[in-house]
Amino acid sequence: MKLVLPPRVSPARFSAALKAFEGVVGKDWVMATDADRDAYSDVYAPGPKDEWPPSAAVAPQTVEEVQAIVRLANEYRTPLWPVSRGKNLGYGTAAPRLPGSVVMDLGRMNRILEVDPKLAYAVLEPGVGFFDLYEHIRRENIPLWLSVPGNGWGSVIGNALEHGIGYTPYGLNGRHLCGIEAVLPQGDLVRTGLGAMKDNPAWHLFPFGYGPTWDLAFSQSNLGVVTKAGMWLMPAPRSSLELSWQIPREEDIAWVIDTIAPLKIAGVIDQNVFIPSWMGALVPLGNRQDFWDKPGAIPESRVQELLKQYNLGYWHVTLRFYGEESVVRAKAEVVKGAMRQHLSTPPQESWWHEGDPIDNYDLTMGVPTVMPLQMSDWVGGRGGHMGFSPVVPATSEHVVGQLKRSRKIIADHDVDFYASFTLGGRFANNVNMLMYDRDKPEQVANIRKLFDALISETAKAGYAEYRTHLGWMDPVMDTFGFNDHALRRFNEKVKDALDPHGILAPGKQGVWPKAYRAEAGVRS
């Protein structure tokens, strides 16, 4: 990838900035060749990989090096784009929103600083991945489980900061952050909550502090570079039971939601409940051409044939219970009774007890995997995917309404329908996976139009995405229009106060500093 400089940064100033960065981290950790820029581009880019081009990357290893890089970036007016590991696949990976930004790669900051088995938390640097922490816990025989998303390559802290979701009782990952250390946009260092008191042993235990609570101000944020954080972990259960149902018809999602949501809210079900549509079961079995080799979306008649052929329901509901066996049995009986009111077929049951082997691919048991990324192979070729992910109230009225809306828009663009709902209790995340071959420009152009339509029409109905690809951060922020976009104006005031030169992640989540506000809404 050829060099694209940041706005208003001359070649001479850019070269001087990189030289100054080398003085901090060493020459080997400032990466500015064409191949380096390729490595930090969006590998799933819905369009040319140089649409959101980095100019270079710098990889600090210590807090002090992060501070020094941030101060130098201010001196040279060179914007930075911090990433924990750069594995935010489907959302932009490591690529920056502002073309020409220097990626600050925190992957070398990969220390597991503490794991407390009694109080069930870990203190991690941002470069620690899910596999890293999982293997450490197993190696040390620590009785704790992780909450893992579909992409186990990612950063534990980075995923939580991006509002990632797992599938255990600790699955709202951002909610289980407790106590953050961050470098502010001019190089100062702050610790949130009780960490503001030197050596306070309750820093990662009490989620508030004294005065305003700032932990989540650093999530989906460009207000600082998180250099360490506490993360609550789940105590390993004594036993676990999985119940699994195939739900026959598309419209059955209505009673499924109205049955499961109250049980989740009441605490009978602990975990986030993942409810994928039928395509989720076919993706591991082959490519699209193995099931439908004609152009256009798979027709409903063929869908019904596939469901019958593979003995699938339209939806798949899997619930897992955790804890003492007597409690697990009691909760499971309540849920089975509730489901039996609508579906006579009993669930498949699978017990696990302490000491039993654990399935290497089971997210609901805290095991990291990359199996879900296989979805990018669905269309064949050099596949990529994006997820359109609005949040709706967990009632049949809202879920079915959003299902019909997105289904129609996706059908209008002649794209395969692959949806899921993740039920968190009072809310449901509706993730619509959009797969495409990056080497087919007409396919990519259609997906982009589809994504625009989904954002627009869903916002008209009153719903918003909770995260999105970096190329659509501005349109999604535009949908939050209450009181003449008061939230955006508030974010901008805070951003300008903390980051007067606009150095850190300009444009992230549609929050632009004054120095680059003219770039808002601009795509390369």
Side-chain angles (χ1 to χ4, degrees), residues 270-282:
D270 295 320
Q271 65 166 158
N272 288 332
V273 181
F274 179 56
I275 308 172
S277 61
W278 59 273
M279 196 184 293
L282 290 191

Side-chain angles (χ1 to χ4, degrees), residues 5 10-11 18 26 77 94 98 191-192 199 220 227 233 262 266 285 301 337 344 358 360 396 445 448:
L5 292 171
S10 68
L18 296 191
R77 303 294 194 270
L98 179 70
R191 289 180 173 177
T192 64
D199 297 328
Q220 288 195 357
T227 51
L233 303 176
L285 303 180
S301 59
S344 60
I358 294 178
N360 285 334
S396 58
R448 292 174 73 119

Side-chain angles (χ1 to χ4, degrees), residues 6-161:
R8 300 185 300 281
V9 175
S10 68
R13 192 200 301 172
F14 180 73
S15 295
L18 296 191
K19 192 70 175 176
F21 293 163
E22 289 177 5
V24 175
V25 300
K27 189 172 183 179
D28 289 345
W29 298 108
V30 176
M31 295 153 281
T33 67
D34 288 355
D36 293 329
R37 286 184 279 272
D38 280 341
Y40 286 93
S41 65
D42 182 4
V43 296
Y44 286 171
K49 66 182 180 181
D50 58 358
E51 188 166 2
W52 300 282
S55 58
V58 57
Q61 192 172 27
T62 66
V63 175
E64 292 76 18
E65 288 180 358
V66 172
Q67 290 182 277
I69 293 297
V70 169
R71 288 172 178 143
L72 287 168
N74 275 275
E75 179 181 344
Y76 290 96
R77 303 294 194 270
T78 302
L80 301 171
W81 183 263
V83 298
S84 298
R85 287 169 60 85
K87 305 299 184 185
N88 202 12
L89 301 176
Y91 296 101
T93 60
R97 173 62 187 89
L98 179 70
S101 298
V102 175
V103 175
M104 179 185 277
D105 182 348
L106 303 175
R108 295 176 68 211
M109 298 182 68
N110 58 3
R111 292 182 300 163
I112 298 170
L113 300 170
E114 180 183 1
V115 179
D116 189 313
K118 287 186 177 181
L119 297 174
Y121 72 92
V123 183
L124 310 171
E125 291 185 330
V128 175
F130 288 97
F131 285 108
D132 300 326
L133 183 56
Y134 179 75
E135 290 167 0
H136 174 83
I137 285 173
R138 290 193 65 186
R139 187 168 54 248
E140 301 298 323
N141 199 27
I142 299 171
L144 297 174
W145 281 13
L146 278 63
S147 166
V148 296
N151 174 15
W153 280 337
S155 158
V156 178
I157 299 303
N159 177 267
L161 291 172

Side-chain angles (χ1 to χ4, degrees), residues 477-493:
M477 177 56 84
D478 285 343
T479 67
F480 292 88
F482 170 75
N483 190 21
D484 190 25
H485 300 276
L487 177 63
R488 179 164 59 198
R489 290 187 284 109
F490 175 76
N491 288 334
E492 289 172 348
K493 287 179 181 178

Side-chain angles (χ1 to χ4, degrees), residues 257-271:
I257 294 295
D258 285 342
T259 300
I260 292 177
L263 296 171
K264 168 67 175 167
I265 293 169
V268 178
I269 298 170
D270 295 320
Q271 65 166 158

